[in-house]
Amino acid sequence: MRSDTIFALASAAGPGASAMVRVSGPGAWDALRRISRRGAAAPQRLSLATLMDPETDEILDRGLVAWFPAPRSFTGEDVVEFHVHGGRAVVAGLVDALSNISGLRVAEAGEFTRRAFENGKLDLTAAEGLADLVAAETAAQRCQALRQLDGALGRVVEDWRRRLLGALAHMEATIDFSDEDLPDLEHEVRSQAAALAREMDSHLNDDRYGERLRDGVSIAVIGAPNAGKSSLVNLLARQDAAIVSAVAGTTRDVIEVHLDLGGYPVVVADTAGLCDDAPGGDSGQVDIEREGIRRAHKRAEDADLKLAVFDGCHWPNVDRHTTALVDAHTIVVINKSDLGVPAPPLAVNGNAARPVSALTGAGIDGLVDAVTRAVAQRCTGSGAAALTRARHRSALQDCRDSLDRAFGAPSPELAAEDLRLAARALGRIVGRVDVEEVLDVIFAEFCIGK
Ligand code: GDP
C-alpha cells in the first residue's frame, strides 16, 4: 500500500451537468470528513452533503459523496468520490480545497488504475482493457475492450501459465527422482507442452484480428488519376457512418476519413493516383508527384483492405498499375456508371467489380455493405480472448520459442529451464513478473483521473 493520497477529476474537463473527483489513499477519509464536515453515512452508498473549503468555510457545492473503505474499492485503497455540479468553478474550488490538505497530491495519468493493478484488483490485460474501453469509438471495439476488462485474455494466459508450471513441476520430479521408478513423466510433459504449443499457435496465427479491431481497419483507395477516388472518399465522408469529417491535406497528400461501419472502426485513405510517370512541369513539382505515388504504393501495401477504383470511361481497358495491386483483400469498383453501363466481364484478377457512380450515388449502399462485410471478416477471430496489443504477441512468441527450445533440449535440466522461461514470458502478459519497464508505458495511456 502507498502512503500518499492522490486525487483527480475523473470525469471529462469542461462544463457539464456533473463532475466526479476521486480521492484514493490513506488520507481519503480525512479529506471527506474535512470537506463534508461529517463524512458519508455508510460505505458503498451515495449520500448528500454540503461541501465546504476547510480553510475558508466557503460553500463549494451541494453534492453526493461516496466512501469505499479498503479493500472494497476500485484501487483497493480507501477511496472517496465527490459527485458535484460540473461547472468549472465548482471543480476548481474542490480541487483547490483538496490540494490544500496536507498529504494529498494530484494523481498522475493512470495512477488510480496502476494502484488497482498493484493491489491485485485487476491484472495487466484487464487494465489495458479498461484503457481500451475509455478509448473505444465503435461498438465492436467496446465489446472487445469489455471482454478484456472482464478477464477473457487474462484467464486464458493464466490457464496456460498454470499448466506450464504443472509441466515444469513434473519435469523437476524427473530430475530429482531420476533413480526411482517414476512413470514416463518426460513423455507426459512433452505431450502437455505440445498441447499448449498448439493452443498458443492458434492465437499467434490469428491474422492479428484483435489488434486490427483495436487500431481500426485501414483501407487504401487506389486507382489512376481522375478515376474518381477523391469523389468516392468525399461521398463516404458524408455518410452517416463518418466519425470524423475528412482530414484534408494537400491534393497530393493522403486524405483520411474515419468511419464506423457496422460497429467496426475503419480509416479510409485516399491516395495519389497511380500512373506510369508523373506529369511534366517543373522538376520540383515532378518530385512531389513521384513522392505522392510512392506513398500511395506504400499505403496500399500496408493497408488491411484496398478499394480499387477503375474509370468507367476507359473500361474494359484497365490500368495495369492498379490491376497489379488487386488481391484477395481488394474491393473493386468501376466508377462513373452514370456515363454508361460498363461492358462485362465485370471482374479484375478474379475479383467481382461493382459499377458505382460517385456523382449520383448509384451503387454506393451496396459498396458500403461489401466493405462492411470485408471489414467484419478481418476483425473476427475464433475465440473471445483476442491478443489486442503487440506486447501480448511478442511475449507469447517468446513463450512459444522457449517451448520449442524445451522440446529440443539435450537434458531434462535444460528443458526445465526453458519451461521456466516460457512461464515467465506468459507472466509478463498478465503482469506477474518483470513488467516494471512496461508499466510506465501502459499506464501513461490513461487520462488523469483513471
Ligand atoms: P481522382 O483523381 O481519382 O481522385 O478523381 P476525382 O474524384 O478528382 O474525379 C476526377 C473527375 O471525375 C472529376 O471531374 C469528377 O467530378 C469526375 N467524377 C468522379 N466521379 C464521377 C462519376 O461517378 N461520374 C462522373 N460523370 N464523373 C465523375
Side-chain angles (χ1 to χ4, degrees), residues 221-234 251-252 270-273 309 311 313 334-339 356-362:
V221 183
I222 54 171
N226 288 324
K229 298 180 297 300
S230 306
S231 307
L232 266 177
V233 171
N234 284 335
T251 47
R252 285 295 165 215
D270 185 8
T271 64
V309 184
D311 192 334
C313 296
I334 307 165
N335 190 30
K336 310 190 187 178
S337 65
D338 54 291
L339 296 179
V356 298
S357 170
L359 188 70
T360 66

Side-chain angles (χ1 to χ4, degrees), residues 101-374:
I101 298 176
S102 82
L104 265 62
R105 67 168 171 84
V106 175
E108 288 165 21
E111 202 172 0
F112 290 97
T113 313
R114 185 167 184 155
R115 288 186 175 197
F117 164 71
E118 285 169 354
N119 292 327
K121 285 280 167 176
L122 31 70
D123 77 11
L124 211 44
T125 61
E128 289 168 329
L130 183 55
D132 292 349
L133 186 61
V134 173
E137 287 193 316
T138 74
Q141 286 179 317
R142 183 189 66 221
C143 291
Q144 173 165 282
L146 269 173
R147 278 195 299 271
Q148 193 169 318
L149 171 60
D150 193 37
L153 177 60
R155 277 192 295 276
V156 169
V157 174
E158 279 295 359
D159 174 60
W160 286 339
R161 209 172 82 91
R162 188 185 49 73
R163 285 156 63 194
L164 255 179
L165 292 175
L168 176 62
H170 272 146
M171 200 72 205
E172 281 170 343
T174 42
I175 299 166
D176 293 345
F177 303 99
S178 53
D179 298 340
E180 293 171 31
D181 195 15
L182 280 173
D184 188 1
L185 268 184
E186 213 180 328
H187 177 263
E188 193 178 323
V189 169
R190 219 167 242 285
S191 72
Q192 285 170 355
L196 274 170
R198 275 195 300 278
E199 287 175 37
M200 289 173 189
D201 284 346
S202 86
H203 277 76
L204 288 170
N205 300 325
D206 66 356
D207 190 32
R208 295 180 55 250
Y209 76 94
E211 283 144 280
R212 190 173 293 122
L213 176 54
R214 180 171 172 265
D215 299 339
V217 177
S218 58
I219 303 183
V221 183
I222 54 171
N226 288 324
K229 298 180 297 300
S230 306
S231 307
L232 266 177
V233 171
N234 284 335
L235 196 62
L236 288 172
R238 288 201 300 272
Q239 299 272 314
D240 291 345
I243 299 176
V244 184
S245 59
V247 185
T250 67
T251 47
R252 285 295 165 215
D253 221 331
V254 173
I255 294 171
E256 289 186 346
V257 175
H258 293 250
L259 301 175
D260 174 345
L261 291 183
Y264 294 96
V266 173
V267 184
V268 181
D270 185 8
T271 64
L274 301 164
C275 53
D276 273 331
D277 284 309
D282 68 77
S283 63
Q285 186 63 26
V286 172
D287 284 347
I288 292 172
E289 305 274 350
R290 285 220 177 92
E291 177 57 17
I293 293 168
R294 195 191 63 74
R295 283 191 200 177
H297 266 280
K298 176 93 176 76
R299 263 285 168 147
E301 279 161 19
D302 294 347
D304 298 314
L305 291 169
K306 285 173 284 229
L307 176 60
V309 184
F310 290 94
D311 192 334
C313 296
H314 306 307
W315 187 265
N317 294 324
V318 295
D319 76 282
R320 59 192 177 87
H321 294 286
T322 308
T323 303
L325 290 169
V326 172
D327 60 15
H329 292 305
T330 308
I331 291 155
V332 180
V333 296
I334 307 165
N335 190 30
K336 310 190 187 178
S337 65
D338 54 291
L339 296 179
V341 181
L346 300 184
V348 177
N349 294 353
N351 283 25
R354 50 178 70 239
V356 298
S357 170
L359 188 70
T360 66
I364 297 301
D365 287 349
L367 171 62
V368 170
D369 285 349
V371 174
T372 305
R373 279 196 302 277

